[in-house]
Amino acid sequence: ADLRLRIRELGGDLKAALPLPIDGSVAIDELRLEHADAELPVTLEADGRIGSRPLSMRGHSGNLLKGDSTARNPLDATLEIGASTLHVSGTASRGTGPHLDLEVDLDVQDLASVPASSATFRLSDDEHAWDVSGINAMIGDATASGGLRLERRDPRPLLSGALRFAGVDFGSSRASDSSNSASSEVLRLGKGGL
């Protein structure tokens, strides 16, 4: 390996809401960072605990810090906390026109403050806008699907898209109707929407 860094016994307190709700002490038994001549030359691995839950982090990527700043470098990473997982794969670049094209798969299980949940979506950045497409999410009995686009423009950004919700009570007068639980509502953003 061109570079090998190994750190043992890191610890501290962590509070985060996204992508997984976490509040507790973190103990990393070992963190490994390596760079080698390979198809995915950068490797990051960590093992430890958050509270009483096991923690595992595995990531492999192209060399985002060296070489052509416009190259689309592959990225593949998985974070596991107990039975909950976050997996991200795709490509990223750096430089004056950064690029991001990622598939995200989130599965939340056994976290006391959150019902069983899952979400898949694609996150991309074309230099002028962020796109979140192919959203398919479930939180408890509620579901959401659709896509959003945030255009970076003057004098202010424009958020557009459509999300379909089912099993969600938005506080409408129909919310008390028990037959409404199977219906779905569509939220449209952008011109003519919110």
Side-chain angles (χ1 to χ4, degrees):
D2 297 343
L3 167 72
R4 178 175 284 158
L5 176 65
R6 181 173 280 172
I7 301 172
R8 294 178 189 226
E9 297 184 18
L10 289 171
D13 293 324
L14 178 67
K15 185 171 183 118
L18 295 173
L20 296 173
I22 300 167
D23 188 2
S25 62
V26 177
I28 304 290
D29 300 326
E30 184 173 52
L31 175 95
R32 297 169 299 283
L33 176 64
E34 293 185 10
H35 179 271
D37 280 336
E39 187 175 326
L40 294 176
V42 179
T43 301
L44 173 67
E45 297 178 342
D47 295 297
R49 295 169 313 289
I50 293 182
S52 61
R53 291 180 169 75
L55 165 71
S56 173
M57 190 172 18
R58 303 284 180 264
H60 306 280
S61 77
N63 195 346
L64 294 173
L65 302 177
K66 182 179 172 184
D68 182 359
S69 65
T70 62
R72 294 184 175 204
N73 292 288
L75 172 69
D76 188 71
T78 301
L79 172 66
E80 298 174 352
I81 301 172
S84 298
T85 61
L86 171 65
H87 183 255
V88 178
S89 63
T91 58
S93 67
R94 65 184 202 291
T96 57
H99 153 82
L100 190 65
D101 190 5
L102 301 173
E103 296 282 338
V104 179
D105 187 354
L106 175 64
D107 184 26
V108 178
Q109 302 294 326
D110 79 357
L111 292 180
S113 61
V114 177
S117 308
S118 64
T120 58
F121 57 90
R122 179 181 206 135
L123 173 63
S124 60
D125 178 7
D126 67 6
E127 190 177 341
H128 303 288
W130 289 89
D131 281 302
V132 182
S133 60
I135 297 171
N136 188 359
M138 184 263 320
I139 300 174
D141 294 330
T143 62
S145 61
L148 297 170
R149 179 175 176 85
L150 179 63
E151 294 178 44
R152 295 186 291 269
R153 61 184 204 162
D154 289 327
R156 63 185 147 281
L158 173 65
L159 179 63
S160 60
L163 293 174
R164 178 174 298 279
F165 296 95
V168 178
D169 179 1
F170 287 107
S172 67
S173 60
R174 294 180 299 145
S176 61
D177 179 5
S178 62
S179 66
N180 187 44
S181 63
S183 70
S184 64
E185 304 226 8
V186 176
L187 175 63
R188 294 190 195 287
L189 302 170
K191 295 179 181 172
L194 287 179

